Amino acid sequence: MARIISQRYAWFDSHPLKQVNTVFWILSAIAVAWALAYIRASLAVATLVAAAFLILCFLITPSSSLAIIFISLIFILIALPLNLPALRQRWISAPVLRIFRKIMPSVSQTEREALEAGTVWWDGELFSGKPHWKKLLSLAPATLSEEEQAFLDGPVDELCQMLDDWKITHDILDLPEDVWQFLKDQRFFSMIIPKHYGGLGFSTLAHSAVVVKIASRSGSAAGTVMVPNSLGPAELLLHYGTEDQKDYYLPRLASGKEIPCFALTAPEAGSDAAAMPDRGILCKGEFQGENDVLGIRLDWEKRYTTLAPIATVLGLAFKLYDPEHLLGDKEDIGITLALIPVDTPGISIGRRHIPLNMMFQNGPHSGKDVFIPVDWIIGGPPCAGKGWRMLMERLAVGRSVSLPASSTAIAKLSCRFTGAYARVRTQFQLPIGYFEGVDEALARIAGYTYMMDAARIVTVNAVDAGEQPSVVSAIVKYHSTENIRKVVNDAMDVLAGAGISLGPRNMLGPCYQSVPVGITVEGANILTRSLIIFGQGAVRSHPYVYKEMQAVSDTDSRRALRNFDKALFGHIGLVIGNLARTLFMGLTGGHFIPSPVSGAASAYYQRLERMSSAFSLTADVTMLSLGGALKRKEKLSGRLADVFSHLYLASCVLKHYEDQGRLESDTPLMRWACEQSLYEIQQAFNSLLQNFPNRPLAWLLRLLIFPGGQAFKAPNDKLGHKIASLIMEPSAARDRLTHGIFQSDSVQDPLGRVEDALSKVIAAEPIRKRIHTAIREKQLPTDGPDEEFIDQAVKENIISNEEAELVRTAVAARREVIKVDDFPPDLSSGEPVNNSV
Ligand SMILES: Cc1cc2nc3c(=O)[nH]c(=O)nc-3n(C[C@H](O)[C@H](O)[C@H](O)COP(=O)(O)OP(=O)(O)OC[C@H]3O[C@@H](n4cnc5c(N)ncnc54)[C@H](O)[C@@H]3O)c2cc1C
């Protein structure tokens, strides 16, 4: 060794690099390590590069050979076991696995089934910290088939014309008989049933589009159509039913001969539905004159079941027990689902709840000593005890369709109606939309609508492409129903008295009233945000946690160690990579990240990638520092859910913008939605770090994520003004934003009326401006009704007779729009008798 060193000294004595000092080598080592971590180099590559670096260092630096030899020895001691799987598994992974087995929180069977439901899709990329945008951008935008489009333009439009929501909600308190018949005849309840069973066999996109159109007309009708096409008997039969069950029920459900409902929720088991006390005992009994039939004796008490009061067949979830071991060894079989005709003896059904102002059928029911043959279990006896898994799997898809569609419908309606109203309604001699306060509210209405529509469409496209994205569906359900709350609140504020006074003229008041229904159903929102989105995402969408959990519970010890070792080292690499990437992207503002597109959207891809890396790092640090306690830290979990959700929503916005051809007129909407999401991501990080229990870790994370301080600002006023203006006048961009809702041309219809007024008011605006200028210049009196100004303006030759007619038409149209309904003193009649101005 001494000889080698002395030879090297001789060889390099005159080399210029010999002057290079230690600080340089330390900085170079940091840079190389950082670069390796940034590109997520594999362990083998990182080891080779580190070895090459040390050799270079050894050859070039004459002055600190002993230090380098010492460092090299440490490097060999670390690198060798890390790169030899047998040693690594024995010395590192096996002890860590033993610790994991002790500390990993126990997961119940129902929790495991909920966690495992569905597929991992774009959520997995966002959780990796380095999303492959091509995966999202290459998802082909789905289009409606000719048949689906014809259904939307034909039966759906016809249905919308038949729907009088005021009558439904205040007069007959149900859908009219002819509407029920039309729904059955046109097979509205069979959108998800394949054609060979007599159903419509629609794509998810078409299903969503039908719900959008109906929901823009009547929440009660939309709720009625949504339920049979969502998580219920048809969906469960299609995926788990026996052939006999499918052949019998699906054609009857498709034709409307059977009206289905599905009952999970019980008085004592709401959000914690798996805790239902409803029981079924396997036994032998008499059924339709036959003795010794193997069956189930059931007792239940359920509530909130949609369509139950008029259902003919009831899907029921209950806990099944087999004390006499008639099916097998197990006594407690678990949650089971059965289809039960409602005329089976012992069932009490028919009473109704009133879900706010929505008059879809919904009610409680119970069963006492109800005996059903075991064949009525959905999927037959082999599916006994598999009910929870079946429900979770179907919910993984179902909640990404109905509520996102109905919420987006209301948002689109709010945009179109409120935007037009804000231009038509004047106060202080100006359209109210021209006032900055109203402009601010209109911007939020337009921006959130774009965000919701993007998430709806991209998600149903993914479902049509074969995904069952369980975490994504929770995100879309939660944020559609929360964002519609913001949109409708703003719309109500802009409409003011016209939104509050109920009656046939008021389209948005009932929407406002219906918002809490979406918040509560298909997983109540507080629970979805604080427990499901990050809780399930951290297991399923995370690239390694689920693999580690599987290895921990694997009883084959060799396989467990092999798989755990792979997952553990992948996980460590992910954390190191995210650490390096987050800091680098924070310091450089993400400017060096390659963007998959050019143009206005490019910077948002970079910013989202930066935040994805920060999220992935923070998620790992949080899980590591809190462990099993995170399950109880719902406020922290909720904030991580907000970051995760907005990463998803903004990705959908970018994808939607791309799919629509990067249209310049939509650019402000895209920018507003992305900036809002990035700002909400930053706010969520701020509250997370402010409340993070381990303070030093919180400071470190803040330094890594926001090294230059706060990075994002909320959309500015100028941008907000652009999108507020966009919904106040007719344009292709406004039509695109509100596409898919039902629009009547009739001035008898509130939306048709305000649209008619909008075009008339805009046509008359230049003439009105001349009148106002004349008023200001005292050529006309300063006070008086519109008609007097107009007559006077003609007299003074300020406007022509034809122009006066245009203004008169606009004034009349505006008067019609601002009218609200009034009723007799005792409100005894649902029909308004007079429309006050
Ligand atoms: C109009 C309507 C129609 C419905 N249709 C059906 C149907 O057809 N079939 C059916 O089976 N069910 C149906 N439901 C039930 C619905 O899907 C919800 O599951 C149910 O309403 C929730 O139970 P709960 O109302 O008793 O709320 P609770 O369970 O009492 O919850 C109250 C609040 O506590 C929160 N919460 C509960 N646990 C947690 C937790 N661990 N962490 C954080 N927050 C928590 C919830 O988010 C909620 O905000 C319907 C409900 C309504 C209102």
Side-chain angles (χ1 to χ4, degrees):
M1 180 64 80
R3 222 177 66 218
I4 297 174
I5 294 169
S6 65
Q7 277 172 0
R8 191 167 61 87
Y9 275 150
W11 192 73
F12 270 112
D13 208 24
S14 58
H15 200 285
L17 275 175
K18 81 172 202 180
Q19 301 307 323
V20 172
N21 64 25
T22 316
V23 175
F24 171 82
W25 285 112
I26 292 173
L27 289 178
S28 304
I30 292 173
V32 170
W34 200 345
L36 286 170
Y38 188 91
I39 61 162
R40 293 189 178 169
S42 67
L43 188 58
V45 170
T47 309
L48 282 177
V49 174
F53 183 83
L54 277 173
I55 291 169
L56 190 72
C57 202
F58 179 68
L59 290 174
I60 291 178
T61 314
S63 54
S64 49
S65 307
L66 281 177
I68 292 170
I69 291 168
F70 181 67
I71 293 169
S72 303
L73 282 175
I74 295 178
F75 170 72
I76 291 166
L77 276 177
I78 296 173
L80 211 63
L82 281 182
N83 283 281
L84 296 175
L87 287 184
R88 190 178 66 205
Q89 286 175 16
R90 198 158 148 203
W91 292 351
I92 304 171
S93 302
V96 179
L97 178 58
R98 278 197 292 277
I99 297 172
F100 266 53
R101 283 204 166 117
K102 275 191 204 137
I103 62 163
M104 207 89 147
S106 61
V107 180
S108 69
Q109 180 69 12
T110 47
E111 280 176 317
R112 181 176 298 278
E113 285 173 352
L115 283 174
E116 287 174 355
T119 57
V120 178
W121 173 60
W122 183 241
D123 46 320
E125 293 292 325
L126 293 172
F127 228 112
S128 75
K130 197 179 176 198
H132 291 97
W133 292 104
K134 277 209 176 108
K135 181 171 177 174
L136 181 69
L137 295 179
S138 63
L139 175 74
T143 46
L144 298 170
S145 69
E146 265 180 41
E147 190 189 350
E148 290 167 342
Q149 189 61 56
F151 188 78
L152 275 163
D153 297 340
V156 183
D157 268 0
E158 208 178 319
L159 170 70
C160 289
Q161 258 146 7
M162 292 166 81
L163 293 170
D164 178 342
D165 198 54
W166 175 254
K167 233 182 184 158
I168 292 169
T169 53
H170 289 82
D171 189 4
I172 51 179
L173 312 181
D174 189 4
L175 300 184
E177 219 15 79
D178 59 336
V179 169
W180 273 110
Q181 200 52 50
F182 187 77
L183 290 173
K184 291 176 191 174
D185 292 347
Q186 297 295 332
R187 296 176 294 164
F188 272 84
F189 299 141
S190 73
M191 283 187 274
I192 58 166
I193 298 179
K195 286 195 172 134
H196 59 272
Y197 289 114
L200 292 171
F202 277 176
S203 63
T204 318
L205 181 70
H207 175 182
S208 170
V210 171
V211 174
V212 166
K213 202 172 244 187
I214 303 174
S216 70
R217 191 72 178 158
S218 159
S220 307
T224 305
V225 170
M226 271 151 62
V227 167
N229 288 294
S230 183
L231 177 66
E235 172 85 348
L236 291 163
L237 282 172
L238 276 168
H239 290 89
Y240 312 102
T242 63
E243 288 310 311
D244 282 352
Q245 288 171 338
K246 287 187 203 172
D247 290 345
Y248 177 76
Y249 273 117
L250 290 176
R252 295 168 70 85
L253 288 167
S255 66
K257 240 186 213 157
E258 300 278 5
I259 298 292
C261 66
F262 188 81
L264 173 66
T265 309
E268 295 291 350
S271 302
D272 187 11
M276 69 187 85
D278 312 297
R279 288 156 62 94
I281 308 289
L282 271 156
C283 59
K284 292 201 173 162
E286 194 244 310
F287 184 71
Q288 292 178 347
E290 220 181 292
N291 287 324
D292 262 2
V293 173
L294 179 59
I296 305 168
R297 196 160 295 283
L298 282 159
D299 285 297
W300 77 84
E301 188 191 358
K302 300 281 192 188
R303 64 177 180 182
Y304 303 155
T305 308
T306 301
L307 295 187
I310 47 117
T312 58
V313 60
L314 167 69
L316 188 78
F318 56 92
K319 284 185 175 158
L320 183 62
Y321 298 90
D322 187 9
E324 295 176 50
H325 299 287
L326 297 170
L327 269 191
D329 296 339
K330 240 168 126 186
E331 196 158 313
D332 179 355
I333 292 186
I335 294 173
T336 301
L337 315 179
L339 274 190
I340 309 173
V342 297
D343 54 7
T344 308
I347 298 181
S348 170
I349 195 165
R351 291 184 66 80
R352 288 179 69 177
H353 301 303
I354 304 177
L356 294 169
N357 73 322
M358 293 170 91
M359 288 300 150
F360 58 81
Q361 297 278 343
N362 180 279
H365 50 94
S366 59
K368 186 100 196 93
D369 266 343
V370 178
F371 184 81
I372 63 164
V374 79
D375 292 343
W376 287 6
I377 292 175
I378 298 176
C383 281
K386 298 200 174 137
W388 194 248
R389 174 175 286 272
M390 289 153 71
L391 287 175
M392 291 303 109
E393 282 173 0
R394 298 335 308 157
L395 190 66
V397 182
R399 71 185 158 195
S400 55
V401 186
S402 305
L403 290 164
S406 55
S407 304
T408 309
I410 299 176
K412 285 170 178 263
L413 183 63
S414 301
C415 260
R416 201 153 181 105
F417 192 94
T418 317
Y421 184 87
R423 184 76 177 260
V424 170
R425 168 73 169 162
T426 53
Q427 288 293 283
F428 307 99
Q429 295 182 351
L430 274 179
I432 55 169
Y434 289 5
F435 298 112
E436 285 203 353
V438 176
D439 174 289
E440 204 175 13
L442 292 174
R444 285 191 295 264
I445 294 173
Y448 279 121
T449 301
Y450 189 77
M451 191 190 284
M452 289 164 73
D453 204 25
R456 172 186 78 90
I457 293 177
V458 173
T459 309
V460 295
N461 278 351
V463 173
D464 276 332
E467 297 293 342
Q468 299 182 9
S470 49
V471 177
V472 158
S473 71
I475 292 175
V476 180
K477 186 270 162 180
Y478 174 83
H479 284 275
S480 312
T481 52
E482 285 297 328
N483 285 340
I484 193 55
R485 180 138 72 174
K486 297 178 196 158
V487 168
V488 167
N489 267 344
D490 275 325
M492 288 294 283
D493 290 355
V494 174
L495 296 180
I500 289 161
S501 307
L502 290 178
R505 288 178 165 266
N506 184 352
M507 290 194 92
L508 284 171
C511 296
Y512 172 80
Q513 291 175 308
S514 71
V515 164
V517 175
I519 301 281
T520 295
V521 299
E522 294 192 358
N525 275 11
I526 296 181
L527 175 131
T528 303
R529 171 177 178 262
S530 42
L531 210 63
I532 308 289
I533 295 177
F534 182 72
Q536 190 173 3
V539 177
R540 280 311 299 281
S541 319
H542 191 289
Y544 298 106
V545 169
Y546 189 53
K547 290 177 187 152
E548 286 161 353
M549 281 175 72
Q550 280 178 318
V552 165
S553 57
D554 195 342
T555 47
D556 179 333
S557 56
R558 275 187 170 199
R559 190 179 53 205
L561 182 58
R562 208 173 44 243
N563 291 342
F564 184 76
D565 172 74
K566 220 167 143 192
L568 178 70
F569 279 88
H571 198 157
I572 293 170
L574 179 85
V575 175
I576 295 172
N578 279 332
L579 208 139
R581 287 171 56 78
T582 300
L583 182 58
F584 182 78
M585 292 189 282
L587 289 170
T588 57
H591 292 302
F592 296 104
I593 306 167
S595 171
V597 302
S598 55
S602 157
Y604 299 115
Y605 285 89
Q606 295 173 323
R607 290 170 201 166
L608 284 181
E609 185 154 339
R610 175 182 165 193
M611 285 298 103
S612 161
S613 175
F615 166 69
S616 183
L617 176 69
T618 311
D620 274 319
V621 171
T622 310
M623 285 191 277
L624 198 72
S625 73
L626 292 176
L630 182 57
K631 213 169 159 184
R632 293 186 303 278
K633 294 273 179 202
E634 290 193 352
K635 291 180 199 167
L636 297 186
S637 175
R639 286 155 187 149
L640 284 162
D642 293 343
V643 175
F644 191 19
S645 299
H646 277 285
L647 286 172
Y648 179 72
L649 297 175
S651 319
C652 290
V653 165
L654 293 175
K655 163 77 175 149
H656 185 58
Y657 178 67
E658 201 63 23
D659 286 348
Q660 292 205 323
R662 297 188 208 172
L663 298 168
E664 209 182 318
S665 49
D666 289 351
T667 303
L669 289 164
M670 176 278 290
R671 287 183 51 211
W672 190 96
C674 285
E675 287 178 20
Q676 183 64 26
S677 277
L678 284 162
Y679 182 68
E680 292 194 29
I681 287 172
Q682 179 173 275
Q683 296 295 87
F685 267 129
N686 284 343
S687 2
L688 175 83
L689 297 176
Q690 195 185 331
N691 293 284
F692 206 77
N694 185 325
R695 298 314 300 151
L697 272 182
W699 296 326
L700 181 67
L701 280 172
R702 187 177 289 285
L703 191 76
L704 290 168
I705 300 170
F706 300 116
Q710 299 290 282
F712 308 115
K713 293 193 179 100
N716 65 27
D717 291 350
K718 213 168 147 195
L719 182 57
H721 175 65
K722 275 190 189 159
I723 63 172
S725 308
L726 187 146
I727 60 170
M728 283 203 297
E729 63 189 13
S731 71
R734 180 173 181 262
D735 288 345
R736 257 192 313 279
L737 183 63
T738 57
H739 175 78
I741 58 173
F742 177 74
Q743 293 185 49
S744 166
D745 294 334
S746 163
V747 289
Q748 300 308 315
D749 174 90
L751 186 56
R753 193 182 297 133
V754 76
E755 283 289 301
D756 171 68
L758 178 65
S759 54
K760 288 175 177 161
V761 162
I762 288 175
E765 245 170 30
I767 310 163
R768 284 199 74 110
K769 265 188 197 148
R770 274 172 28 221
I771 297 177
H772 285 138
T773 310
I775 294 171
R776 263 202 317 278
E777 290 170 358
K778 308 266 189 287
Q779 289 170 282
L780 289 172
T782 51
D783 213 0
D786 276 329
E787 289 74 12
E788 279 179 24
F789 284 127
I790 299 165
D791 291 345
Q792 198 68 24
V794 175
K795 245 190 224 162
E796 301 290 333
N797 281 333
I798 293 163
I799 59 172
S800 67
N801 273 324
E802 292 80 50
E803 287 172 330
E805 207 38 50
L806 270 180
V807 181
R808 282 194 195 100
T809 315
V811 168
R814 177 171 62 75
R815 283 275 169 91
E816 277 304 310
V817 165
I818 64 173
K819 274 181 183 173
V820 298
D821 299 296
D822 54 55
F823 299 87
D826 61 356
L827 300 179
S828 54
S829 164
E831 288 292 323
V833 279
N834 193 12
N835 291 130
S836 62
V837 177

